[in-house]
Coordinates of all heavy atoms in Angstrom, one line a residue:
F22 N 29.6 71.5 -36.3 CA 28.5 70.5 -36.2 C 28.9 69.4 -35.2 O 30.1 68.9 -35.3 CB 28.2 69.9 -37.6 CG 27.4 68.7 -37.5 CD1 26.1 68.7 -37.1 CD2 27.9 67.4 -37.9 CE1 25.3 67.6 -37.1 CE2 27.1 66.3 -37.9 CZ 25.8 66.4 -37.5
D23 N 28.0 69.0 -34.3 CA 28.3 68.0 -33.4 C 27.3 66.8 -33.6 O 26.1 67.0 -33.4 CB 28.1 68.5 -31.9 CG 28.5 67.4 -30.9 OD1 28.8 66.3 -31.3 OD2 28.4 67.8 -29.7
P24 N 27.7 65.7 -34.1 CA 26.8 64.6 -34.4 C 26.1 64.0 -33.2 O 25.1 63.3 -33.3 CB 27.7 63.5 -35.1 CG 29.1 63.8 -34.6 CD 29.1 65.3 -34.4
K25 N 26.6 64.3 -32.0 CA 26.0 63.8 -30.8 C 24.7 64.5 -30.5 O 23.9 64.0 -29.7 CB 27.0 63.9 -29.6 CG 28.2 63.1 -29.8 CD 29.2 63.3 -28.6 CE 30.5 62.4 -28.8 NZ 31.4 62.6 -27.7
V26 N 24.5 65.7 -31.0 CA 23.3 66.4 -30.8 C 22.2 65.9 -31.8 O 22.3 66.0 -33.0 CB 23.5 67.9 -31.1 CG1 22.1 68.7 -30.9 CG2 24.5 68.5 -30.1
R27 N 21.2 65.2 -31.2 CA 20.3 64.5 -32.1 C 19.3 65.5 -32.8 O 18.9 65.2 -33.9 CB 19.4 63.5 -31.2 CG 20.2 62.4 -30.6 CD 19.4 61.4 -29.9 NE 20.1 60.3 -29.3 CZ 20.4 59.2 -30.0 NH1 19.9 59.1 -31.2 NH2 21.1 58.2 -29.5
T28 N 19.0 66.6 -32.2 CA 18.1 67.6 -32.9 C 18.9 68.6 -33.6 O 19.7 69.3 -33.0 CB 17.2 68.2 -31.8 OG1 16.5 67.2 -31.1 CG2 16.2 69.2 -32.5
I29 N 18.7 68.7 -34.9 CA 19.4 69.7 -35.7 C 18.5 70.9 -35.9 O 17.4 70.8 -36.5 CB 19.8 69.1 -37.0 CG1 20.8 67.9 -36.8 CG2 20.5 70.2 -37.9 CD1 21.1 67.2 -38.1
T30 N 18.9 72.1 -35.4 CA 18.1 73.3 -35.6 C 18.4 73.9 -36.9 O 19.5 74.3 -37.3 CB 18.5 74.3 -34.5 OG1 18.3 73.7 -33.2 CG2 17.6 75.6 -34.6
V31 N 17.3 73.9 -37.8 CA 17.4 74.5 -39.1 C 17.2 76.0 -39.0 O 16.2 76.5 -38.7 CB 16.4 73.8 -40.0 CG1 16.5 74.5 -41.4 CG2 16.6 72.3 -40.1
G32 N 18.3 76.7 -39.4 CA 18.2 78.2 -39.4 C 19.6 78.7 -39.6 O 20.5 78.3 -38.8
F33 N 19.8 79.6 -40.5 CA 21.1 80.2 -40.8 C 21.5 81.2 -39.8 O 20.7 82.1 -39.4 CB 21.1 80.8 -42.2 CG 22.4 81.5 -42.5 CD1 23.5 80.7 -42.8 CD2 22.5 82.9 -42.6 CE1 24.7 81.3 -43.1 CE2 23.7 83.5 -42.9 CZ 24.8 82.7 -43.2
R34 N 22.7 81.1 -39.2 CA 23.2 82.0 -38.2 C 24.3 82.9 -38.9 O 25.4 82.5 -39.2 CB 23.8 81.2 -37.1 CG 22.8 80.3 -36.3 CD 23.5 79.4 -35.3 NE 24.4 78.5 -36.0 CZ 25.2 77.6 -35.4 NH1 25.1 77.5 -34.0 NH2 25.9 76.8 -36.0
A35 N 23.9 84.1 -39.2 CA 24.8 85.1 -39.9 C 26.0 85.3 -39.0 O 26.0 85.4 -37.8 CB 24.1 86.4 -40.1
G36 N 27.2 85.3 -39.7 CA 28.5 85.5 -39.1 C 29.1 84.3 -38.5 O 30.2 84.3 -38.0
K37 N 28.3 83.1 -38.5 CA 28.9 81.9 -37.9 C 28.8 80.8 -38.9 O 29.8 80.1 -39.1 CB 28.1 81.5 -36.6 CG 28.7 80.3 -35.9 CD 28.0 80.1 -34.6 CE 28.7 78.9 -33.9 NZ 28.0 78.6 -32.6
D38 N 27.7 80.6 -39.5 CA 27.5 79.5 -40.5 C 28.1 79.9 -41.8 O 28.3 81.0 -42.1 CB 26.1 79.1 -40.6 CG 25.5 78.4 -39.3 OD1 26.3 77.9 -38.6 OD2 24.3 78.5 -39.1
F39 N 28.3 78.9 -42.7 CA 28.8 79.1 -44.0 C 27.7 79.2 -45.0 O 26.9 78.3 -45.2 CB 29.8 77.9 -44.4 CG 30.9 77.6 -43.4 CD1 30.8 76.6 -42.6 CD2 32.0 78.5 -43.4 CE1 31.8 76.3 -41.7 CE2 33.0 78.2 -42.5 CZ 32.9 77.1 -41.6
K40 N 27.7 80.3 -45.8 CA 26.6 80.6 -46.7 C 26.8 79.9 -48.0 O 28.0 79.9 -48.5 CB 26.4 82.1 -46.9 CG 25.3 82.5 -47.9 CD 24.0 82.1 -47.4 CE 22.9 82.5 -48.4 NZ 21.6 81.9 -48.0
G41 N 25.8 79.3 -48.6 CA 25.9 78.6 -49.9 C 25.9 79.5 -51.1 O 25.6 80.7 -50.9
P42 N 26.1 79.0 -52.3 CA 26.4 77.6 -52.6 C 27.8 77.1 -52.1 O 28.7 77.9 -52.0 CB 26.3 77.5 -54.1 CG 26.6 78.9 -54.6 CD 26.1 79.8 -53.5
L43 N 27.8 75.8 -51.7 CA 29.0 75.2 -51.1 C 29.5 74.0 -51.9 O 28.7 73.2 -52.3 CB 28.7 74.8 -49.7 CG 28.2 75.9 -48.7 CD1 27.7 75.2 -47.4 CD2 29.4 76.8 -48.4
P44 N 30.8 73.9 -52.1 CA 31.4 72.7 -52.7 C 31.3 71.5 -51.8 O 31.7 71.6 -50.6 CB 32.8 73.1 -53.0 CG 32.9 74.6 -52.9 CD 31.9 74.9 -51.9
V45 N 30.8 70.4 -52.3 CA 30.7 69.2 -51.4 C 31.5 68.1 -52.1 O 31.6 67.0 -51.5 CB 29.2 68.7 -51.2 CG1 28.5 69.7 -50.3 CG2 28.5 68.6 -52.6
A46 N 32.1 68.3 -53.2 CA 33.0 67.4 -53.9 C 34.0 68.1 -54.7 O 33.6 69.0 -55.5 CB 32.3 66.3 -54.7
V47 N 35.3 67.8 -54.6 CA 36.3 68.5 -55.3 C 37.3 67.5 -55.9 O 37.4 66.4 -55.4 CB 37.1 69.5 -54.5 CG1 36.2 70.6 -54.0 CG2 37.7 68.8 -53.3
S48 N 38.0 67.9 -57.0 CA 39.0 67.0 -57.5 C 40.3 67.9 -57.7 O 40.2 69.1 -57.7 CB 38.6 66.5 -58.9 OG 38.4 67.6 -59.8
G49 N 41.4 67.2 -57.8 CA 42.6 67.9 -57.9 C 43.8 67.0 -58.5 O 43.7 65.8 -58.5
T50 N 44.8 67.7 -59.0 CA 46.0 67.1 -59.5 C 47.2 67.6 -58.7 O 47.2 68.7 -58.3 CB 46.2 67.3 -61.0 OG1 46.3 68.7 -61.3 CG2 45.0 66.7 -61.8
V51 N 48.2 66.7 -58.6 CA 49.4 67.1 -57.8 C 50.6 66.7 -58.7 O 50.7 65.5 -59.0 CB 49.4 66.3 -56.5 CG1 50.7 66.7 -55.7 CG2 48.2 66.7 -55.6
T52 N 51.4 67.6 -59.0 CA 52.7 67.3 -59.6 C 53.8 67.9 -58.7 O 53.8 69.0 -58.4 CB 52.8 68.0 -61.0 OG1 52.5 69.4 -60.8 CG2 51.7 67.5 -61.9
G53 N 54.7 67.0 -58.3 CA 55.7 67.4 -57.4 C 57.1 66.9 -57.8 O 57.2 66.1 -58.7
G54 N 58.1 67.5 -57.3 CA 59.5 67.2 -57.6 C 59.9 67.7 -58.9 O 59.3 68.6 -59.5
A55 N 61.0 67.2 -59.4 CA 61.6 67.7 -60.6 C 60.9 67.2 -61.8 O 60.8 67.9 -62.9 CB 63.1 67.3 -60.7
N56 N 60.3 66.0 -61.7 CA 59.6 65.5 -62.9 C 58.1 65.9 -62.9 O 57.3 65.3 -62.2 CB 59.7 63.9 -62.9 CG 59.2 63.3 -64.1 OD1 58.6 64.0 -65.0 ND2 59.3 62.0 -64.3

């Protein structure tokens, strides 16, 4: 996606675009080191 392109063409391009459903928010935990 290029935000400089003002016109957004709506249409799925097979083999190039990412098919939904898609995660738009994720959470995670990180435990590192010996403790």
Side-chain angles (χ1 to χ4, degrees):
F22 169 66
D23 185 358
K25 296 179 182 179
V26 178
R27 295 183 177 273
T28 303
I29 300 175
T30 304
V31 177
F33 176 71
R34 298 170 296 179
K37 185 174 184 180
D38 293 334
F39 305 104
K40 180 62 179 171
L43 300 168
V45 291
V47 297
S48 65
T50 59
V51 179
T52 55
N56 191 353

